[in-house]
Amino acid sequence: MPPLSALRPAIRAHRQVRRETVLSNKLRVPISAYVVDCAVYADGHRLPGRWTHERALAEVRERDDDAFVWIGLHEPDEEQITGIADVFGLHELAVEDAVHAHQRPKLERYDDMLFMVLKTVCYRGRPEEGAEHEIVETGEVMVFLGPDFVITVRHGDHSSLRDVRRTLEADPEQLALGPAAVLHAIADHVVDSYLDVTTAIEDDIEEMETQVFAPRASVDSEQIYVMKREVLELKRAVVPLGAPVRKLTEGYSSLVPHDVRSYFRDVDDHLVTVTERIAGFNELLTTLIDAALAKITLRQNTDMRKISAYVAIISVPTMIAGIYGMNFDHIPELHWTLGYPMVWLVIIISCLSLFRVFRRNQWL
């Protein structure tokens, strides 16, 4: 049997292998649940292979070219994101916002890192009768931007960035601009979705407008109010984003080079267009609500006039029958042979006369 001193190196090596295996398994299980993708990009091209966040960052910082890491996360909890935050040096306040979500669109600077929050929107369509769901569903995308990394945290099922990543990977020249190009692509994708949603809402509002002003169409003021509420939700997602985008166009941080700022100006133009559309929707929906209520009031007044007209017509035979139904012997024409047909003739002529008058005055 070999001496114990000769076995110690082998024992230490075995223990190290076991520790690395256990650590790898601990990392692999949760990461697969919330890391959508982790990639290293150099000179505008994605490097092959699968990467952990530690290996990806080490690879980037060992290279001399402008390489960076892009990690995509989906609804991580605080425990899951802690490891990545420690490796990349993310600020704890920004990490807390990324985990708990429900943030307003904003742009914050922490030393050599930017943290941006964007609200995503998705048009679900007007609900069917009896069904209940949101017309505009909102989500969030948080972006951590550093000199050599981009970390995106998504909240919501509709806010996928897979198409954004594929589009950038198909354009190496744009991707070679670095992490700021990824931030621009995400912002551009989000704002384009705003345009799509406002176009769909515009079609719905035009349909509501047709129903409100159609002569015989029924008016559903509740649906107009629901649409107004959804437009307000869209406004809360879009309008606060204007200030962060303008900061990026004005050189708020050196992490966004001059070549990328011009692209953010285009995003800002689209955002202004969306903001103006939303303001127009809000005014138009307010007008439609007023018109719908006025139409309902007018219809009620018309119904009341019709009821009043018929009551006046019915009151004539009621009055005559009431008079001749009294128990008195000395009522005029009470014993006259033609009294009964004469009463009917007076009733018919009086009712027809009233009907004609009311019809002429458009009460009937």
Side-chain angles (χ1 to χ4, degrees):
M1 179 177 182
L4 182 60
S5 59
L7 294 176
R8 283 175 180 171
I11 293 174
R12 284 197 296 269
H14 178 69
R15 287 177 177 174
Q16 180 66 23
V17 170
R18 287 187 60 188
R19 280 197 297 269
E20 291 179 354
T21 302
V22 171
L23 179 60
S24 176
N25 290 335
K26 287 183 177 180
L27 290 173
R28 187 177 300 114
V29 172
I31 283 179
S32 63
Y34 68 96
V35 175
V36 179
D37 200 353
C38 178
V40 176
Y41 298 92
D43 296 327
H45 297 279
R46 178 170 181 161
L47 299 185
R50 300 185 63 181
W51 303 84
T52 63
H53 55 278
E54 298 99 334
R55 287 185 56 238
L57 186 61
E59 175 69 21
V60 166
R61 294 182 175 174
E62 287 176 0
R63 302 176 68 93
D64 296 331
D65 51 8
D66 295 330
F68 67 93
V69 184
W70 181 1
I71 300 177
L73 310 177
H74 182 242
E75 298 183 354
D77 59 31
E78 189 172 353
E79 182 179 356
Q80 291 169 338
I81 202 174
T82 298
I84 294 178
D86 292 340
V87 171
F88 287 87
L90 306 181
H91 197 278
E92 59 182 4
L93 294 178
V95 171
E96 183 180 356
D97 289 344
V99 170
H100 297 291
H102 304 294
Q103 303 294 319
R104 286 170 56 88
K106 61 182 180 179
L107 178 65
E108 296 178 344
R109 181 169 50 194
Y110 298 98
D111 297 329
D112 59 343
M113 184 197 75
L114 289 179
F115 176 67
M116 189 171 185
V117 178
L118 304 99
K119 283 279 192 179
T120 60
V121 297
C122 179
Y123 177 76
R124 296 299 187 188
R126 293 171 60 184
E128 299 292 336
E129 185 175 355
E132 294 184 3
H133 67 74
E134 294 182 342
I135 299 175
V136 177
E137 183 179 326
T138 60
E140 293 178 42
V141 173
M142 289 85 164
V143 182
F144 296 89
L145 184 70
D148 51 10
F149 67 85
V150 177
I151 300 174
T152 56
V153 181
R154 297 190 296 106
H155 290 268
D157 296 331
H158 66 272
S159 55
S160 175
L161 300 176
R162 185 178 293 106
D163 292 339
V164 176
R165 189 184 289 265
R166 290 176 179 173
T167 302
L168 280 174
E169 290 177 354
D171 188 2
E173 183 178 353
Q174 183 72 12
L175 197 56
L177 296 175
V182 177
L183 178 61
H184 161 262
I186 294 172
D188 186 58
H189 171 73
V190 170
V191 174
D192 284 346
S193 69
Y194 294 164
L195 290 170
D196 295 338
V197 170
T198 53
T199 300
I201 290 178
E202 186 176 13
D203 294 338
D204 284 346
I205 293 178
E206 288 179 356
E207 183 179 347
M208 289 180 177
E209 187 177 11
T210 302
Q211 291 177 353
V212 168
F213 293 104
R216 300 180 181 274
S218 59
V219 180
D220 190 354
S221 56
E222 182 179 354
Q223 284 294 319
I224 301 176
Y225 174 77
V226 170
M227 180 62 74
K228 186 175 177 63
R229 186 186 62 191
E230 294 298 313
V231 169
L232 179 60
E233 183 74 16
L234 181 61
K235 180 181 178 181
R236 291 172 181 168
V238 173
V239 174
L241 186 59
V245 172
R246 279 189 288 275
K247 284 183 179 181
L248 293 174
T249 63
E250 297 169 355
Y252 178 71
S253 173
S254 59
L255 292 174
V256 181
H258 180 74
D259 294 339
V260 182
R261 292 175 199 165
S262 58
Y263 293 105
F264 277 106
R265 293 190 186 97
D266 181 64
V267 175
D268 187 38
D269 290 340
H270 290 172
L271 194 59
V272 170
T273 301
V274 174
T275 303
E276 291 175 350
R277 284 188 182 182
I278 293 174
F281 293 161
N282 193 37
E283 294 178 1
L284 181 57
L285 286 171
T286 300
T287 303
L288 289 180
I289 289 177
D290 293 340
L293 293 177
K295 189 174 182 179
I296 292 173
T297 303
L298 179 61
R299 181 175 297 173
Q300 290 176 344
N301 291 338
T302 302
D303 293 340
M304 287 301 299
R305 286 190 301 180
K306 288 182 179 180
I307 294 173
S308 300
Y310 283 118
V311 169
I313 293 173
I314 294 174
S315 65
V316 173
T318 303
M319 179 186 67
I320 296 176
I323 292 174
Y324 280 90
M326 294 186 296
N327 297 320
F328 293 103
D329 292 332
H330 302 289
I331 296 178
E333 312 301 339
L334 184 63
H335 301 286
W336 186 34
T337 306
L338 298 178
Y340 179 75
M342 183 60 67
V343 168
W344 270 109
L345 182 62
V346 171
I347 290 175
I348 293 173
I349 292 175
S350 301
C351 291
L352 291 177
S353 300
L354 288 174
F355 181 83
R356 185 177 180 182
V357 171
F358 289 137
R359 194 65 177 268
R360 182 184 304 167
N361 293 328
Q362 297 182 349
W363 280 45
L364 292 175

